[in-house]
Amino acid sequence: MHETAIVSGLMKILTEQAALHGVARIARVNLKVGRLRGVDPRQLRACFELFAEETLADGAELVIDEVAVRGRCRACGHDFAVPRYRFECPECKGQDIAVLSGQELYIDSFEAAAAEPAGPDERRH
Ligand SMILES: [Zn+2]
């Protein structure tokens, strides 16, 4: 399954990055996913929950920011939102389109969970 491979890669990066930054627990992961990736956010989230179990990202929230597809016509230079994989310039009908966005797939950022205080902490109330 497509999503399994993606999440497996994400977990690897998260584990490495967390170790690098001394993060013991991850509370939230902000992911950028371009629409050209053909990823189903619901499946991706479900898959992430499974993979994260009993890891430092257990229970972490996966926030998926879907990036719209934009293209630029190489003939006339027009920038436009690409509807439904229709790579045709609305201005000149050219079909030589450079993809500007929509192919993203990366961790934008992640947030560490607050460390549990060693003793009772009144500020939490
Ligand atoms: Zn054009």
Side-chain angles (χ1 to χ4, degrees):
M1 201 171 87
H2 191 49
E3 281 76 12
T4 311
I6 294 172
V7 170
S8 158
L10 290 180
M11 289 305 300
K12 192 161 176 276
I13 295 167
L14 280 176
T15 309
E16 285 170 7
Q17 288 296 310
L20 206 63
H21 297 282
V23 171
R25 197 149 186 88
I26 294 170
R28 188 180 157 122
V29 180
N30 300 305
L31 195 67
K32 292 263 186 211
V33 180
R35 288 197 188 273
L36 282 177
R37 289 286 177 171
V39 171
D40 179 345
R42 276 208 338 240
Q43 276 190 36
L44 195 63
R45 216 171 275 127
C47 192
F48 177 76
E49 277 175 26
L50 279 178
F51 270 71
E53 261 177 36
E54 292 176 25
T55 72
L56 76 178
D58 199 346
E61 186 188 358
L62 183 66
V63 180
I64 299 169
D65 182 15
E66 290 186 272
V67 184
V69 183
R70 289 195 69 84
R72 175 181 289 141
C73 174
R74 286 196 172 100
C76 74
H78 184 62
D79 281 8
F80 59 99
V82 178
R84 299 190 172 276
Y85 302 93
R86 206 180 134 91
F87 288 93
E88 186 185 85
C89 175
E91 288 292 310
C92 74
K93 305 293 174 205
Q95 300 202 339
D96 187 6
I97 308 299
V99 176
L100 298 180
S101 68
Q103 292 179 307
E104 295 77 1
L105 182 56
Y106 61 89
I107 297 166
D108 190 42
S109 60
F110 65 86
E111 293 162 27
E116 286 298 318
D121 186 345
E122 291 307 314
R123 283 171 305 178
R124 282 163 67 91
H125 300 291

